[in-house]
Amino acid sequence: MPRFSTVVAFGLAAMMLMGCTTDRQTDPQRTATEELLISGAVDRAAAALKLDMGKDRKVFIDAGNVDGTDSKYAISAIRASLLKQGARLVDDKKNAETIVEIRAGVLSIDRQEMLVGIPSFNIPIPLAGPFTTPEIALYKSEEQKGIAKFGAFSYDSKQGNLI
């Protein structure tokens, strides 16, 4: 029969070797970092969007092909970019000299991860649930990039020809 001190020592050693894990929990679907990555990419893509329509033209922006989680921010960024280029925005197609149709190809995040070592994994333990081993990384890198791609063209509202 084992001694009491041996059992206590074994129990203390087992408790010291136990680890804790915390799941990532946020209220929104995406983290603030993810939203900043996408909005930053949107700002850069909108600033790069150049349409040579001439200054002070009355422009209606047709955003019917821009849809998704970040579409409102993207449309606003494109509007701001066109205003900086000298466009005068109107709310009605009938009052426009030029119609700019915009579309979003990508509004997302690319994530690249590299691990040299042993990843964390679950070991099933009957009647107790899974035990998660710690990650042992000799080298680890993680990179996230926000990606945004827009397309646009403009045409004369009366004649329908490409500008």
Side-chain angles (χ1 to χ4, degrees), residues 32-45:
T33 301
E34 291 170 328
E35 290 180 8
L36 285 170
L37 286 170
I38 290 174
S39 64
V42 165
D43 291 340
R44 289 188 301 277

Side-chain angles (χ1 to χ4, degrees), residues 136-152:
I136 301 172
L138 301 174
Y139 174 79
K140 182 177 182 176
S141 71
E142 296 179 26
E143 181 183 19
Q144 294 185 69
K145 287 192 297 188
I147 308 292
K149 176 185 173 187
F150 299 123

Side-chain angles (χ1 to χ4, degrees), residues 49-121:
L49 183 65
K50 303 291 182 207
L51 295 175
D52 188 20
M53 301 177 292
K55 296 250 184 223
D56 293 328
R57 291 194 56 116
K58 293 180 183 177
V59 176
F60 174 79
I61 296 178
D62 182 356
N65 293 324
V66 180
D67 192 23
T69 305
D70 300 294
S71 62
K72 289 182 180 180
Y73 186 85
I75 292 165
S76 179
I78 292 170
R79 285 179 188 271
S81 177
L82 293 177
L83 284 169
K84 288 176 186 174
Q85 295 176 46
R88 291 184 353 197
L89 301 182
V90 295
D91 289 336
D92 192 354
K93 272 187 177 182
K94 295 174 188 172
N95 298 332
E97 298 170 306
T98 302
I99 297 173
V100 175
E101 187 173 314
I102 59 175
R103 60 193 178 277
V106 177
L107 292 172
S108 191
I109 297 173
D110 272 351
R111 177 178 296 154
Q112 294 177 337
E113 297 178 6
M114 182 177 153
L115 171 70
V116 176
I118 302 170
S120 174
F121 58 92

Side-chain angles (χ1 to χ4, degrees), residues 116-138:
V116 176
I118 302 170
S120 174
F121 58 92
N122 291 331
I123 299 172
I125 298 176
L127 303 175
F131 171 74
T132 304
T133 64
E135 176 182 277
I136 301 172
L138 301 174

